[in-house]
Amino acid sequence: MKQSKRQNGAGKLSKQNKKRVKYPKKNEVSHAKKSRHSIRRQRNKNMLITAVLVAVLFAILVYISLKVLFIVQKVEIVGTERYMPEEITAYCRIPYEESIFKIDTDGYEKGLYDEFVYIDSVSVKRRLPNKILIEITDSTPTYYSPQNDTYTIYSQSFKKLTSRAQKPETLMGIEADLSNEEIKSTLQQVIDAVKEGGYENVTLISVADISDIVIVYDDRISIKFGTVLDIDYKLKMAFHLIENEISDGEKGQINITEAGKAIFTANG
């Protein structure tokens, strides 16, 4: 009996607990959803306002930088000994009181290179807060190329400078199609190898093709190299032959198209 009463009592308590559980009413659920939607909408609105304010602030900063802070107040020219600074500035006419970010640096570089024959390279840079720096490397007559009855003079970077009627004895001769970038690059490799090896009395370098390289030594010995492959080793062998086995004043040809094999043929 006691056990039965306990069970009945537990049942009553369980029923009472079930009665105490309150579920949200339909209108309360709807109100909660509306509240969450309102919060989300307000958050999006705040984000939009913040983005607009940031954009406006950025625009103001850009305006200030362009119109107030970074305006051209100085133009500095360095590197050239051939041209006066006044010549360069007179050509450029860089506008003072203009934003340095509006200066067409690439355009000025191209214009200066094309206009001034003895400018070999030029760099126009912005220097914050208010300076334009123009760095110039002067052209130095370095090579000549025979052209019919005249000799065309080129700079150290193969820029065409002028023409002469007489052969320039102090310059190295070159024969190559300088409009062909592959041939031009090969010519530069050969020149670099000659300079780095310290070989003197090279009077002409001919690159008719990347597989047809010829060096003329002292206007009397032509050295046929073939390609630029193993050029350092080929130069070493050729000049060893010239210095040790060929008489002074003797003329002829050296064929060293195959590395490790140099053959001298004297002129008949």
Side-chain angles (χ1 to χ4, degrees), residues 28-29 45 55 65 69 117-118 131 158 205 210 218 240 250 258:
E28 290 177 345
V29 172
K45 184 178 179 181
S65 66
L69 295 179
V117 174
Y118 284 91
K131 184 170 75 173
F158 308 120
I205 297 176
I210 60 171
D218 196 28
H240 176 80
E250 192 172 7
E258 297 180 24

Side-chain angles (χ1 to χ4, degrees), residues 11-254:
K12 290 179 180 179
L13 287 173
S14 177
K15 289 179 180 178
Q16 290 176 355
N17 288 337
K18 288 182 180 179
K19 289 179 181 179
R20 289 173 186 170
V21 176
K22 292 183 178 181
Y23 293 96
K25 296 178 180 179
K26 188 174 182 179
N27 62 341
E28 290 177 345
V29 172
S30 177
H31 179 72
K33 288 182 178 179
K34 288 181 179 179
S35 297
R36 288 196 295 272
H37 179 70
S38 177
I39 292 171
R40 190 180 302 113
R41 185 171 58 187
Q42 184 63 40
R43 186 186 300 122
N44 292 339
K45 184 178 179 181
N46 292 340
M47 290 175 64
L48 179 61
I49 292 172
T50 301
V52 171
L53 290 175
V54 169
V56 171
L57 179 60
F58 179 76
I60 292 172
L61 291 174
V62 169
Y63 177 83
I64 292 173
S65 66
L66 292 177
K67 297 295 184 180
V68 180
L69 295 179
F70 305 116
I71 58 174
V72 178
Q73 295 183 1
K74 184 179 180 181
V75 177
E76 184 179 355
I77 299 163
V78 298
T80 182
E81 295 181 357
R82 182 175 286 272
Y83 298 106
M84 297 295 292
E86 293 78 11
E87 294 180 80
I88 304 299
T89 54
Y91 169 79
C92 292
R93 295 183 181 178
I94 294 176
Y96 285 80
E97 305 304 322
E98 180 66 275
S99 169
I100 63 173
F101 297 110
K102 289 187 176 181
I103 301 301
D104 182 9
T105 55
D106 292 340
Y108 281 116
E109 288 175 355
K110 185 180 185 309
L112 286 166
Y113 181 85
D114 293 341
E115 179 69 17
F116 295 88
V117 174
Y118 284 91
I119 286 182
D120 207 58
S121 64
V122 57
S123 171
V124 180
K125 299 177 181 178
R126 304 177 184 93
R127 286 290 181 264
L128 298 179
N130 52 24
K131 184 170 75 173
I132 298 297
L133 177 64
I134 301 177
E135 297 177 306
I136 294 173
T137 300
D138 289 336
S139 295
T140 301
T142 308
Y143 310 108
Y144 76 87
S145 180
Q147 305 288 335
N148 298 323
D149 296 330
T150 62
Y151 299 89
T152 303
I153 310 303
Y154 291 92
S155 74
Q156 63 270 34
S157 67
F158 308 120
K159 182 180 183 180
K160 185 177 178 179
L161 303 179
T162 186
S163 296
R164 297 180 185 175
Q166 295 182 333
K167 178 181 175 181
E169 299 295 339
T170 59
L171 305 183
M172 179 189 292
I174 56 172
E175 290 182 348
D177 179 5
L178 297 177
S179 65
N180 184 311
E181 288 300 323
E182 191 173 20
I183 288 178
K184 185 177 176 180
S185 175
T186 300
L187 173 63
Q188 187 63 65
Q189 290 181 62
V190 177
I191 291 172
D192 291 342
V194 169
K195 289 181 178 179
E196 290 170 9
Y199 302 111
E200 299 179 348
N201 294 328
V202 172
T203 49
L204 185 136
I205 297 176
S206 172
V207 183
D209 187 78
I210 60 171
S211 60
D212 186 10
I213 300 170
V214 176
I215 287 179
V216 177
Y217 170 80
D218 196 28
D219 281 330
R220 61 187 180 88
I221 297 175
S222 63
I223 310 168
K224 188 174 179 61
F225 287 87
T227 69
V228 77
L229 185 65
D230 296 321
I231 188 68
D232 294 327
Y233 179 63
K234 290 177 180 178
L235 279 167
K236 187 180 292 186
M237 285 197 65
F239 275 83
H240 176 80
L241 188 65
I242 290 170
E243 293 169 0
N244 295 280
E245 299 185 31
I246 299 175
S247 303
D248 292 342
E250 192 172 7
K251 298 181 179 182
Q253 299 81 39
I254 296 175

